[in-house]
Amino acid sequence: HYEKTGRTDRFPLNQPVSWIMEAEPVSSGVPERVFFSTTAHPYDFREPSMRRHALNGILWAVGREDLIPEDGARAEVVGTYDPTPAGFGTVYRQGVRPGKVGEGKHTYGTQSEAPSQ
């Protein structure tokens, strides 16, 4: 849209989606790191490249870039990944908590919040 209207000076077609920051150690002797990304919609993580991007950023932020392979972190989905659209009402599963990785289960805050099967 912006390309057609000639507004790419104000709205460039290529924009960063992630930022990093590293600060000098304060007391621990370990540099303080921040990884930030605007890619966080559940549908973004359907793509292996987006999952890999997030995992690489997290590993860097916690000082474990030594675990990042040359071609990036492994980003296979364990179990199934069926995200809901962002929003509320019938598409948002309120009260759902992550289950254990690989079990494909979710836990709920209280029994009354659990949907009927």
Side-chain angles (χ1 to χ4, degrees), residues 20-106:
I20 60 170
M21 184 180 78
E22 187 170 26
E24 294 296 320
V26 176
S27 60
S28 67
V30 178
E32 297 177 358
R33 293 178 166 183
V34 173
F35 167 73
F36 173 82
S37 179
T38 60
T39 57
H41 188 282
Y43 286 177
D44 291 340
F45 296 109
R46 291 175 171 174
E47 294 296 322
S49 61
M50 298 310 297
R51 295 191 303 270
R52 185 173 301 106
H53 176 77
L55 291 169
N56 290 343
I58 292 166
L59 287 169
W60 176 85
V62 298
R64 295 308 311 262
E65 60 269 25
D66 59 309
L67 296 178
I68 304 172
E70 186 69 31
D71 57 347
R74 290 182 49 209
E76 297 85 11
V77 172
V78 176
T80 59
Y81 182 67
D82 183 25
T84 60
F88 297 96
T90 60
V91 296
Y92 177 69
R93 296 181 233 172
Q94 188 171 3
V96 175
R97 305 288 184 260
K100 291 186 178 179
V101 173
E103 290 183 5
K105 297 177 182 176
H106 301 286

